Amino acid sequence: MFSKLVIVVVVIVVAATTTAAPQQYRPIPPPYQSSGRFIPILVDEREGPDALGNYRFNFETGNGIRRDEQGAPRGPKGAVVSQGGWSFTFPDGTPAVFSFVADEGGYRVESPLLPTPPPLPPHAIAQIEKARRESGGRPSYQ
C-alpha cells in the first residue's frame, strides 16, 4: 500500500512539472539605457602612462563637467605623485571647483565647498601647548 502511495505522489509531481505553462521570453533591458539627454564629450586628451610612469589626462563634457590630472614617479622608491582637479555646476547654478595633490603627504583635496572644523577654543590651545612644553616637543606616544 505504501509503495502505491509513493508511486502516485511521484506521478503527480512529474505531471505537474511537465505540464506547467512555458515561461514567456522577455528581454531584460540593458543597465546602460538612459532616459536622459545625450551629453557629448567635448575634450578627451590622454597621454601615458609611459615607460617611466608619467601620465596626463583631461576631459570636458557638454554640460560643463571638467576633469584633469597629471602624475609622475618621484622619490627614491618611484611612488607616483599626482595632482589635478575637477569642476561642475550644481543644478542651482552654483559652481563646484575642486583640486587635489597626492604625494608623500597623502591625498589632499581643496575646495571652498568642503566643510572646515570650527576653531579650537583658547583653553584647548593652552592645554595643547602645555602638553608640548612638558614633553619637550616629543610626540606623546614615544
Side-chain angles (χ1 to χ4, degrees):
M1 178 70 178
F2 180 73
S3 61
K4 286 183 183 179
L5 179 63
V6 170
I7 292 172
V8 170
V9 170
V10 168
V11 169
I12 291 172
V13 168
V14 169
T17 58
T18 58
T19 60
Q23 297 293 315
Q24 290 184 344
Y25 171 74
R26 284 185 279 157
I28 298 172
Y32 55 83
Q33 281 186 336
S34 171
S35 60
R37 64 185 172 96
F38 174 76
I39 300 171
I41 304 294
L42 304 177
V43 175
D44 187 358
E45 302 170 340
R46 303 168 195 228
E47 294 178 18
D50 62 16
L52 300 175
N54 300 300
Y55 73 94
R56 185 183 80 74
F57 69 83
N58 175 38
F59 72 82
E60 181 179 346
T61 65
N63 63 350
I65 296 173
R66 295 178 182 199
R67 173 80 166 88
D68 68 276
E69 183 175 328
Q70 55 276 338
R74 297 279 190 268
K77 294 185 180 180
V80 174
V81 173
S82 60
Q83 62 185 19
W86 63 94
S87 65
F88 60 92
T89 304
F90 285 105
D92 68 357
T94 304
V97 178
F98 298 84
S99 62
F100 77 92
V101 173
D103 59 13
E104 63 278 351
Y107 182 80
R108 299 175 306 281
V109 179
E110 293 181 2
S111 173
L113 297 173
L114 295 176
T116 57
L120 290 173
H123 70 277
I125 294 172
Q127 287 294 317
I128 292 169
E129 289 302 320
K130 179 178 185 262
R132 188 173 291 136
R133 283 190 308 273
E134 289 176 355
S135 69
R138 294 183 320 272
S140 60
Y141 58 83
Q142 287 185 344

